[in-house]
Amino acid sequence: MPIVYSILNVQGGGAKSAALFDFIADRRYGRGSVDFNRITPMPPWVYRQPTNLALLEKYGEENCSRGWCLHHWGTPQNVLHPEKAVKKYDGGSAIRFETEDRDVRELIRKLSLIFKEMYLDYLWASEDIGSNVGAVQYQDGKALIEFIPTPGTRAAIEKSLDILGARAADYGLAFNPGSGNYEYGGVESG
């Protein structure tokens, strides 16, 4: 299960940003955290306990939490470690959060429908450097700017490193001028 690290940056003023962050906050932890239930609530009939094949057949995948979450949130479960996100939040216009295996573009698009006048910049990068990485800016449900590089390319690796605040060497990567891309091992050259 690779973790996807996300940044949500809100453009539109301090008070409006604060209102959005309060709206999506996990009530247990407060501003700086995210609870996907605040954007698209999970219905009470969804079976929330761990499932097996018999339960999936009995209730249907859409009525079991993992299937419901994948369909409505885009990821198998709610935000990972919201308490850590609160500790990292500096009170500014951006929050960071983690999800399991996938980005949550559709949820951020829905959020932009609620806060129509604001620009929501959503950036994500998997811990698998150079895969599942991108950036999109939404306003009123529309993607105004979108950058989703081809996995494994130089652009994808550099965008991943930028979002993660990391260096290529942190992941055992070095730039190879001959290939024009990053490779595992070796020494980075000029």
Side-chain angles (χ1 to χ4, degrees):
M1 161 191 95
I3 294 173
V4 174
Y5 297 89
S6 296
I7 301 169
L8 175 60
N9 183 53
V10 179
Q11 298 179 45
K16 291 179 181 180
S17 297
L20 184 146
F21 290 152
D22 288 342
F23 178 80
I24 65 174
D26 185 314
R27 297 298 180 240
R28 297 170 296 175
Y29 304 106
R31 191 179 296 165
S33 65
V34 178
D35 178 359
F36 295 153
N37 277 300
R38 306 287 301 152
I39 303 167
T40 302
M42 183 183 289
W45 64 81
V46 172
Y47 187 81
R48 289 174 169 79
Q49 302 303 314
T51 55
N52 57 35
L53 286 176
L55 288 169
L56 287 173
E57 288 176 12
K58 179 178 179 180
Y59 296 112
E61 187 174 353
E62 174 66 17
N63 293 311
C64 292
S65 69
R66 182 176 173 86
W68 188 94
C69 291
L70 282 168
H71 182 75
H72 296 278
W73 294 343
T75 187
Q77 62 180 313
N78 211 332
V79 171
L80 303 173
H81 314 292
E83 70 283 359
K84 290 182 182 177
V86 170
K87 290 178 184 173
K88 293 178 184 176
Y89 179 58
D90 65 2
S93 64
I95 57 173
R96 296 176 174 270
F97 59 94
E98 302 170 3
T99 57
E100 177 187 340
D101 196 35
R102 301 180 185 184
D103 65 82
V104 291
R105 279 178 275 175
E106 181 58 19
L107 271 180
I108 303 302
R109 188 193 70 76
K110 287 179 183 177
L111 186 61
S112 77
L113 289 167
I114 298 167
F115 293 87
K116 295 178 183 301
E117 70 285 350
M118 303 178 84
Y119 293 90
L120 306 183
D121 300 326
Y122 175 57
L123 299 86
W124 68 94
S126 172
E127 64 186 353
D128 290 340
I129 300 299
S131 68
N132 194 7
V133 58
V136 64
Q137 181 182 70
Y138 292 108
Q139 184 195 29
D140 194 16
K142 294 179 185 75
L144 304 177
I145 302 169
E146 191 171 58
F147 176 67
I148 303 172
T150 302
T153 62
R154 178 179 177 180
I157 292 169
E158 289 177 348
K159 189 66 173 174
S160 291
L161 294 170
D162 182 48
I163 292 168
L164 296 170
R167 298 174 308 124
D170 297 340
Y171 291 90
L173 292 167
F175 185 72
N176 180 336
S179 69
N181 204 351
Y182 290 84
E183 297 175 1
Y184 285 100
V187 178
E188 188 164 333
S189 304

